[in-house]
């Protein structure tokens, strides 16, 4: 029962102790009680395994499968789909998946799915995601969730409508958020020993390393290393620094280096059998400014004349700085602030981090847990990427709204 109170007109209003829905979600997150609908769905989910489908059976889907297979008591992958039917059959045989499709809409109609992973090439993220949400299916969509802001906004709108109608959700595959290193540093930063974070670096550089195939074809990928590699470290910086909103960006790109140069012993290039042109950038650098005063510099490359591949994230605050990959703290902290640092140096581990991401998605689907990588964050990231690419084309700074 609410607490009566009087407004200026003298009418009695009741103060709402329990907000009906968390933004972007279809379940209530009341700490003191859960609504009848939430209880009923949770009880239903506890009595059965989550039925999962895989859309797109390429390389990254295998890490999703690894995560689902780590949860045999709560999840069963019942179907997979790929436009290459033979590829899908071999995938199903490898993982013991009973049903195979070449049309995801048919899979949605026939398999009574609770959730899917969308692990196709980037330009095929939007439609399967929206169609699944409209069919009442939870979605984990690989990063980047779209190839431009327009698509990302459509996906977000579909997720919001679906959340209100069926309680289903869209999670974006920002896997770095689920690493033990990110969790440890996030707790540390939120506790305050770094002070106010005003500058950050996000770097992901390869000497001669493009995945090849559709990754180098802008019509399928949406861009080059910025949208493929930079997306990881850019999102990680924003997540660790409290999710500020970007307000402007400036960027530049470079193309023209040899792809997978056979004379370079450190070169690598994966061929997928497709006839794709290579028409994305080799290297991108950019600067993004945020509404809280933070400035971020980003560098990402497929091809760059450096000694070795490397990546890292650095954040600089008014009291101290911190680095991931490897973990370091810059400047001395007070004894009290020292206690807030991780007990041991946290490291990013690729496979366990994917398992943690999948486990979180399953938890959201089964229990209504608040999603840590919601659709709105996918939109914000695409705004930054679009702005950097636009700035590189025009040579001017681009405002972000």
């Amino acid at each position: 029962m609410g607490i009566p109170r009087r407004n200026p007109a003298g009418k009695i209003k009741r103060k709402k102790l329990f907000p009906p829905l968390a933004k972007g979600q279809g379940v209530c997150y009341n700490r003191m009680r859960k609504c009848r609908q939430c209880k009923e769905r949770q009880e239903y989910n506890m009595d059965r395994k989550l039925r999962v489908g895989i859309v797109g059976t390429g390389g990254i889907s295998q890490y999703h499968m690894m995560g689902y297979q780590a949860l045999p008591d709560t999840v069963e992958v019942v179907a997979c789909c790929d436009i290459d039917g033979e590829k899908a059959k071999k995938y199903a045989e490898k993982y013991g998946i009973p049903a195979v499709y070449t049309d995801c809409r048919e899979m949605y109609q026939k398999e009574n799915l609770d959730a899917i992973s969308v692990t196709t090439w980037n330009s095929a993220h939007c439609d399967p995601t929206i169609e699944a949400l409209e069919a009442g299916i939870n979605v984990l969509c690989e990063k980047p969730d779209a190839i431009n802001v327009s698509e990302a906004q459509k996906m977000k709108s579909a997720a919001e409508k679906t959340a209100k109608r069926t309680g289903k959700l869209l999670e974006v595959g920002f896997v770095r958020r689920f690493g033990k290193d990110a969790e440890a540093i996030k707790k540390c930063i939120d506790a305050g020993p770094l002070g106010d974070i005003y500058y950050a670096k996000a770097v992901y550089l390869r000497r001669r390393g493009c995945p090849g195939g559709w990754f180098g074809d802008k019509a399928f990928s949406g861009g080059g290393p910025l949208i493929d590699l930079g997306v990881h470290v850019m999102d990680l910086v924003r997540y660790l620094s409290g999710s500020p909103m970007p307000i402007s960006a400036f960027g530049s790109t470079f193309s023209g280096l040899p792809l997978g140069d056979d004379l370079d012993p450190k070169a690598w290039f994966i061929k997928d059998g497709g006839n794709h042109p290579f028409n994305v950038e080799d290297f991108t650098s950019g600067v993004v400014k945020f509404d809280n005063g933070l400035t971020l510099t980003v560098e990402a490359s497929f091809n760059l004349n450096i000694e070795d591949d490397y990546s890292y994230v650095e954040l600089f605050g008014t009291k101290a700085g911190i680095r991931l990959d490897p973990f370091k703290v810059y400047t001395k902290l007070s004894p009290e602030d020292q206690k807030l640092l991780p007990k041991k140096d946290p490291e990013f581990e690729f496979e366990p981090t994917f398992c943690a991401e999948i486990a979180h998605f399953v938890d959201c689907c089964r229990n209504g847990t608040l999603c840590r990588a919601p659709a709105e964050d996918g939109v914000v990231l695409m705004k930054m990427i679009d702005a950097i690419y636009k700035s590189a084309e025009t040579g001017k700074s681009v405002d972000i709204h």
Side-chain angles (χ1 to χ4, degrees):
M1 183 111 181
I3 301 172
R5 58 178 179 153
R6 293 186 179 275
N7 64 9
K11 295 181 180 180
I12 292 179
K13 286 188 175 182
R14 293 191 179 275
K15 183 179 180 181
K16 294 181 179 180
L17 294 179
F18 310 109
L21 292 175
K23 184 178 180 181
Q25 303 293 329
V27 294
C28 70
Y29 291 98
N30 301 326
R31 294 182 178 180
M32 300 176 66
R33 69 165 175 82
K34 284 192 173 184
C35 69
R36 177 180 170 185
Q37 180 184 2
C38 292
K39 287 182 178 179
E40 288 177 350
R41 189 171 82 245
Q42 188 174 25
E43 290 170 359
Y44 172 70
N45 284 337
M46 288 301 177
D47 292 337
R48 57 188 284 278
K49 292 184 178 181
L50 204 71
R51 292 176 59 84
V52 174
I54 304 293
V55 180
T57 58
I60 201 66
S61 70
Q62 298 182 51
Y63 293 99
H64 286 242
M65 277 299 308
M66 178 179 61
Y68 291 126
Q69 289 181 325
L71 304 168
D73 295 334
T74 56
V75 174
E76 55 181 345
V77 179
V78 298
C80 66
C81 175
D82 198 289
I83 58 174
D84 185 336
E86 287 302 314
K87 182 179 178 183
K89 287 179 181 178
K90 291 179 181 178
Y91 187 89
E93 291 172 0
K94 177 180 179 179
Y95 291 108
I97 301 172
V100 178
Y101 295 87
T102 57
D103 186 336
C104 63
R105 289 165 293 189
E106 182 183 3
M107 183 175 74
Y108 301 160
Q109 292 170 359
K110 293 183 177 180
E111 292 298 332
N112 190 30
L113 298 174
D114 300 298
I116 63 165
S117 279
V118 176
T119 52
T120 59
W121 49 58
N122 299 345
S123 64
H125 284 178
C126 183
D127 289 346
T129 293
I130 292 175
E131 289 162 357
L133 290 168
E134 291 175 346
I137 301 171
N138 296 289
V139 180
L140 170 56
C141 180
E142 257 302 326
K143 66 79 201 169
D145 56 330
I147 60 172
N148 54 50
V149 173
S150 177
E151 284 191 354
Q153 289 175 331
K154 290 178 182 177
M155 294 165 73
K156 175 178 175 287
S157 296
E160 291 172 344
K161 291 177 182 178
T162 298
K164 293 178 181 178
R165 181 171 57 86
T166 66
K168 306 302 181 181
L169 78 145
L170 168 58
E171 177 178 330
V172 181
F174 293 135
V175 67
R176 286 300 305 265
R177 296 186 178 199
F178 298 92
K180 291 182 180 179
D181 57 341
E183 291 185 357
I185 300 305
K186 176 70 171 167
K187 290 179 181 178
C188 172
I189 290 174
D190 290 348
L194 269 66
D196 295 328
I197 298 173
Y198 60 89
Y199 180 56
K201 295 180 180 180
V203 177
Y204 203 141
L205 300 176
R206 290 179 181 164
R207 175 179 169 84
R208 295 286 188 276
C210 174
W214 66 264
F215 283 90
D217 187 341
K218 190 173 182 179
F220 289 77
S221 64
L226 180 66
I227 200 170
D228 181 48
L229 305 177
V231 61
H232 284 296
V233 286
M234 291 170 68
D235 175 71
L236 186 57
V237 165
R238 181 171 177 265
Y239 174 68
L240 293 176
S241 57
S243 299
M245 298 301 291
I247 57 175
S248 67
F250 181 85
S252 60
T253 61
F254 178 83
S255 301
L257 291 179
L259 180 63
D261 186 352
D262 292 335
L263 298 178
D264 188 334
K266 297 179 180 179
W268 56 275
F269 182 83
I270 300 172
K271 296 181 179 179
D272 66 354
N275 186 23
H276 293 279
F278 185 83
N279 55 17
V280 300
E281 79 275 11
D282 289 315
F283 169 77
T284 298
S285 67
V287 179
V288 181
K289 293 188 176 181
F290 294 85
D291 60 356
N292 67 345
L294 171 66
T295 296
L296 164 67
T297 61
V298 57
E299 296 180 359
S301 71
F302 282 155
N303 301 297
L304 187 65
N305 288 322
I306 53 178
E307 183 177 6
D308 289 300
D309 300 354
Y310 63 90
S311 66
Y312 66 89
V313 163
E314 288 181 316
L315 299 103
F316 301 93
T318 52
K319 295 168 64 176
I322 203 163
R323 174 178 174 137
L324 281 74
D325 304 328
F327 174 74
K328 292 181 181 179
V329 176
Y330 306 130
T331 71
K332 292 183 179 180
L333 296 172
S334 69
E336 290 301 313
D337 285 339
Q338 285 280 357
K339 296 177 182 178
L340 300 173
L341 295 175
K343 302 301 180 184
K344 61 179 182 179
D345 293 355
E347 296 181 357
F348 171 70
E349 298 176 287
F350 194 80
E351 293 183 0
T353 301
F354 263 99
C355 287
E357 177 189 48
I358 297 297
H360 172 72
F361 175 58
V362 170
D363 185 35
C364 292
C365 296
R366 288 174 60 83
N367 304 315
T369 301
L370 188 63
C371 180
R372 285 166 55 186
E376 49 262 40
D377 285 352
V379 173
V380 174
L381 188 72
M382 286 311 306
K383 285 184 177 181
M384 290 191 281
I385 290 173
D386 275 10
I388 290 173
Y389 278 142
K390 184 177 180 180
S391 174
E393 291 178 2
T394 63
K396 298 178 181 179
S397 178
V398 174
D399 292 336
I400 301 175
H401 304 287

